[in-house]
Amino acid sequence: MRTILADNLLDALTANAPLVFGHRGASADAPENTLAAFELAAQHGAHGIELDVHLTRDQQLAVIHNATVDATTNGSGAVAEVSLAQLKELDAGSWFAPEFAGERIPTLDEVFAAVGRRLFVNVEIKSAVPGIEHALAACIAQRQMEARVLVSSFDAGILRRLRPLLDVPLGFLCPFVDSAWLDAKRNQQMYAALHPWHASIDSELMRRARESGFMVNAWTVNDSARACQLKKLGVNGIITDQPVAILAALASC
Ligand code: G3P
Ligand code: MG
């Protein structure tokens, strides 16, 4: 039976750990960062999704991983140099499989509208261009998603700019966490969570993260045995391309 989760992401990350987030949606089975991939993550029983945002030339939040559209659409060029209307002309599904032809690059608002009440959303800010923090704060506030999102980035500067605009939990993406960094952040209110690359997580990292008051969410975990190790280590969230497989693994360990 499906566990009933709290409506608040931080509560759920504490009470129901580890939560499972579809990385760019259920991206092993549908084109990444599309509504199809997010819907599939929901159908597969994921608790949440992780997605990536860039700002378009006309200050819209486009959900796409790369700074250019080349790898995941039939177009080419930089997201930052085109309007949302131009992005919407592109096919973001055919590169993955013919049955996804016609998928579009969604806006963050469209994702919130489609799945925001069913899935928690980890928004990863990919570009620190001026204005993206204001666009993101406005989008989250308009959809009243404050309690259901966690905003992460590899870029500490953009998270610092977002911090005063909106009261949402922040996660710092860090391939590796060193102890000096953790000591420096102890007792600071900036981040709710660390998002380390999963292979860098061990019991010592978990101990130090807890001591410093951080939740720990791991990426990108597609191996069932590793997911079970991370569960035993006590991580709060697991970000995976394959939520259905990882959920099945976690249910049996
Ligand atoms: O947010 C976790 C993970 O998505 C970070 O790496 O390159 O897949 O966005 P990337
Ligand atoms: Mg990402």
Side-chain angles (χ1 to χ4, degrees), residues 188-200:
Q188 287 187 10
Q189 302 301 310
M190 178 77 179
Y191 303 118
L194 300 180
H195 287 210
W197 178 46
H198 79 84
S200 72

Side-chain angles (χ1 to χ4, degrees), residues 84-251:
L84 178 62
Q86 287 170 302
L87 278 190
K88 285 291 185 186
E89 289 169 13
L90 302 176
D91 179 339
S94 291
W95 70 274
F96 186 84
E99 63 264 35
F100 293 104
E103 275 299 318
R104 301 291 149 190
I105 295 172
T107 63
L108 184 60
D109 186 65
E110 288 167 346
V111 178
F112 285 163
V115 297
R117 294 291 138 197
R118 289 178 281 148
L119 293 169
F120 294 119
V121 184
N122 173 196
V123 177
E124 183 188 343
I125 305 176
K126 276 293 184 207
S127 107
V129 292
I132 195 166
E133 69 274 30
H134 293 282
L136 181 55
C139 182
I140 292 169
Q142 273 159 21
R143 287 279 170 195
Q144 300 184 311
M145 285 289 289
E146 291 91 334
R148 298 186 56 78
V149 297
L150 187 153
V151 179
S152 61
S153 186
F154 286 106
D155 186 325
I158 186 63
L159 295 176
R160 265 197 303 276
R161 279 158 41 198
L162 180 68
R163 175 77 294 165
L165 302 181
L166 197 68
D167 186 17
V168 287
L170 303 180
F172 185 57
L173 272 159
C174 39
F176 297 94
V177 186
D178 66 54
S179 44
W181 187 91
L182 275 171
D183 287 344
K185 299 296 175 200
R186 190 191 300 260
N187 300 327
Q188 287 187 10
Q189 302 301 310
M190 178 77 179
Y191 303 118
L194 300 180
H195 287 210
W197 178 46
H198 79 84
S200 72
I201 298 173
D202 58 16
S203 54
E204 177 60 11
L205 183 149
M206 291 301 298
R207 189 184 66 74
R208 296 192 77 110
R210 293 291 185 244
E211 241 177 47
S212 304
F214 298 118
M215 295 187 178
V216 176
N217 299 318
W219 53 273
T220 299
V221 185
N222 294 327
D223 180 79
S224 296
R226 182 60 181 152
C228 285
Q229 288 169 0
L230 291 165
K231 179 180 178 180
K232 289 196 181 82
L233 285 168
V235 302
N236 300 90
I238 291 179
I239 299 169
T240 175
D241 299 328
Q242 300 171 358
V244 72
I246 295 302
L247 282 161
L250 291 173

